Amino acid sequence: MQVLDKTQVEAISQALGEPAWALKKRLEALEAFARLPYPSRKDENWRYTDLSEAPLDRPVEAPKGLSLTRDTLPEAVKRRLEKTDVAAFLVFVGPDLVYAEVPEELKAQGLVLTSLAEAMRLHPEKVEAGLFQAVFTEDKFAAQNSAFFTHGAFLYVPAGLELEKPVGVFKVLLEGSKASAGRSLLFLEDNAKAAYIEEYLSPDLPPTLHLSATEMVLRPGARLRHAHVETFGDGVWHFHRQRALLERDAGLNDLVVNLGGAYARSEVASELLGPGSESEMLGLYFGHGRQQFDHYTLQHHVEHHTRSDLLYKGAVKDEARAVFSGLIRLERGAQKTDAYQANRNLILSPTARVDSIPQLEIGANDVRCTHGSTTAPVDEMQLFYLQSRGLPRALAQELLVKAHLADVLTRIPLKALRAHIEAVIEEKVRL
């Protein structure tokens, strides 16, 4: 097996034409990657997860220079483009940016949506101001991504620009890709407003490693709606870390959806660094077969008069598993904080399992914080009621699942995206 070493890091950086500062940061991440062990069940944050079958320690796929037209894009992406309302988008197949569509009128207003590699060449000062600031070497997987990522998206929204429609990125894995690592950097200047959707798709694959990271920098007054939607096929092991840095009066509405793959882990953090900042964190997941979905969230209140609200809801059936571990952390100066956290789970079979651990760490004394968790099987009385009205059991269960997830779905203001998520969930319920 090819070793993950300095030679590889230098080759990736050179192939992408990166500046010296980027290579320096990659090499710092490589040192951390070499020093840190892969997690095991002895680690508190991994004690519910068995990584013995995970395809770890693989060299990532290198860019091939592939380019496509809109008509020759993968069928899965073309189907999504028929039903999405994004105003601009990028398509990655493996490590290659194969297609980009960004209207000239948006570019003329100062919007930048392109690959990280191109952004480093054309907008180096903008990228350097944000890259590696939010996700760097927090653990083995973050360090691995920071050292070896081969591709990624860059969104820059200048001060005062308000986008009417969302922009997005489609990332597709195809046969032959054994490991892939990418990241996104979203940078919104003062009082900018945007919505950004990143979708991850693939057919069923042999065991495949996918590492992703999303960094968000929100300057004072900026507002961002962000959605991370993962619908990989069977066989993909997806490790995702994202962190948002919110300055004074900035606002984030974040959605994480895990519906595909063999295993998906999302570590999502909101850092409320300025007074008046607020974060809404939403999560949806539905596991079937032997899927496992792990969610680790952090609502970190650093300054006073900040607000966060988290609602993660999911369902599992067959032998699927889900883990939720959420932490609200308040620093001593985070007075007048409002923070809420709720995790609700529905178990659809006796062999499915959910572990839910909501947590509080409060260092301030003039705050309002609440957290809660529920995990329960389908209510047989509700099923009986629906069946007594003539509904087959499968359809009755589908309606109960949709009702369970409804209060998250109704909080997604992007109608086309909400319809897509509802369709995928309906399909999974019927499996």
Side-chain angles (χ1 to χ4, degrees):
M1 178 183 292
Q2 188 177 0
V3 179
L4 300 175
D5 60 11
K6 182 179 179 181
T7 302
Q8 265 199 303
V9 171
E10 292 176 336
I12 292 170
S13 186
Q14 183 177 3
L16 297 177
E18 293 181 344
W21 66 263
L23 175 58
K24 181 181 177 182
K25 297 294 286 186
R26 281 184 182 269
L27 293 176
E28 289 179 21
L30 177 64
E31 291 179 4
F33 171 73
R35 181 179 69 251
L36 295 167
Y38 278 112
S40 71
R41 287 192 167 184
K42 295 180 180 178
D43 301 297
E44 178 61 27
N45 285 345
W46 293 84
R47 65 190 179 105
Y48 299 104
T49 304
D50 181 7
L51 294 178
S52 61
E53 297 181 9
L56 306 177
D57 216 15
R58 289 182 174 183
V60 296
E61 181 182 9
K64 303 179 181 65
L66 180 65
S67 179
L68 299 174
T69 65
R70 181 158 180 160
D71 290 338
T72 58
L73 291 172
E75 288 299 321
V77 175
K78 288 197 286 187
R79 287 194 298 270
R80 288 295 300 120
L81 290 175
E82 291 173 357
K83 297 181 179 180
T84 188
D85 58 354
V86 291
F89 63 92
L90 309 177
V91 179
F92 289 88
V93 174
D96 290 302
L97 175 59
V98 298
Y99 185 78
E101 196 169 292
V102 183
E104 289 299 325
E105 55 266 32
L106 292 180
K107 294 180 182 179
Q109 296 177 69
L111 177 81
V112 178
L113 178 64
T114 186
S115 69
L116 265 178
E118 181 172 298
M120 285 189 199
R121 293 191 294 271
L122 301 180
H123 310 281
E125 71 291 341
K126 293 182 174 65
V127 178
E128 188 173 5
L131 192 63
F132 304 120
Q133 300 302 308
V135 177
F136 190 39
T137 58
E138 291 78 11
D139 66 4
K140 182 80 167 182
F141 291 109
Q144 186 174 1
N145 182 292
S146 297
F148 296 100
F149 76 91
T150 58
H151 60 284
F154 175 68
L155 172 69
Y156 175 81
V157 187
L161 178 61
E162 297 187 7
L163 300 182
E164 295 181 359
K165 291 186 176 181
V167 299
V169 171
F170 298 91
K171 168 67 181 290
V172 185
L173 295 181
L174 298 177
E175 287 281 354
S177 177
K178 296 183 178 180
S180 180
R183 66 196 291 136
S184 299
L185 172 59
L186 317 180
F187 200 114
L188 276 66
E189 295 283 13
D190 295 22
N191 300 310
K193 184 177 180 180
Y196 180 90
I197 304 169
E198 48 186 302
E199 295 193 32
Y200 297 81
L201 314 90
S202 82
D204 292 343
L205 298 172
T208 302
L209 174 67
H210 184 259
L211 304 174
S212 69
T214 300
E215 300 180 280
M216 309 176 208
V217 179
L218 277 63
R219 295 299 195 203
R223 316 291 293 187
L224 174 66
R225 294 191 181 278
H226 171 261
H228 173 99
V229 182
E230 177 270 308
T231 56
F232 281 130
D234 190 32
V236 178
W237 290 69
H238 175 64
F239 297 86
H240 174 69
R241 179 185 286 269
Q242 71 181 52
R243 187 165 168 237
L245 308 179
L246 285 77
E247 299 184 17
R248 177 183 292 270
D249 297 324
L252 171 68
N253 173 281
D254 180 70
L255 171 68
V256 171
V257 179
N258 281 316
L259 298 172
Y263 172 83
R265 181 184 180 94
S266 297
E267 301 190 21
V268 180
S270 284
E271 303 279 349
L272 296 122
L273 306 176
S277 56
E278 57 183 15
S279 171
E280 181 181 33
M281 303 166 70
L282 304 174
L284 276 174
Y285 46 95
F286 190 120
H288 76 281
R290 298 187 62 194
Q291 288 181 310
Q292 180 166 340
F293 298 139
D294 292 357
H295 299 89
Y296 286 77
T297 66
L298 172 64
Q299 299 155 259
H300 188 194
H301 294 257
V302 178
E303 280 288 352
H304 57 91
H305 290 87
T306 55
R307 182 179 183 275
S308 67
D309 184 7
L310 180 147
L311 177 61
Y312 271 52
K313 300 193 77 170
V316 287
K317 67 178 185 177
D318 305 326
E319 298 178 63
R321 294 191 59 180
V323 178
F324 173 84
S325 179
L327 173 62
I328 298 176
R329 175 181 293 151
L330 273 61
E331 301 299 336
R332 293 184 65 181
Q335 304 291 0
K336 301 296 183 180
T337 287
D338 281 349
Y340 308 90
Q341 180 189 103
N343 176 228
R344 310 287 184 231
N345 299 284
L346 193 62
I347 296 180
L348 306 178
S349 68
T351 50
R353 175 172 172 171
V354 173
D355 296 284
S356 183
I357 311 101
Q359 304 166 77
L360 297 175
E361 289 183 9
I362 301 178
N365 59 10
D366 186 7
V367 300
R368 181 167 54 189
C369 296
T370 62
H371 70 310
S373 169
T374 59
T375 300
V378 173
D379 190 316
E380 288 296 330
M381 288 300 294
Q382 293 178 351
L383 276 176
F384 175 77
Y385 176 83
L386 292 173
Q387 288 179 272
S388 70
R389 294 317 189 255
L391 296 180
R393 183 179 178 88
L395 180 56
Q397 183 168 276
E398 178 183 333
L399 290 175
L400 291 178
V401 170
K402 291 173 68 174
H404 171 68
L405 302 177
D407 49 351
V408 174
L409 289 167
T410 55
R411 288 167 70 172
I412 302 172
L414 306 173
K415 293 182 179 179
L417 178 64
R418 184 170 67 234
H420 170 59
I421 295 170
E422 289 175 340
V424 176
I425 291 173
E426 288 179 5
E427 182 179 341
K428 291 198 67 169
V429 174
R430 294 167 185 165
L431 289 176

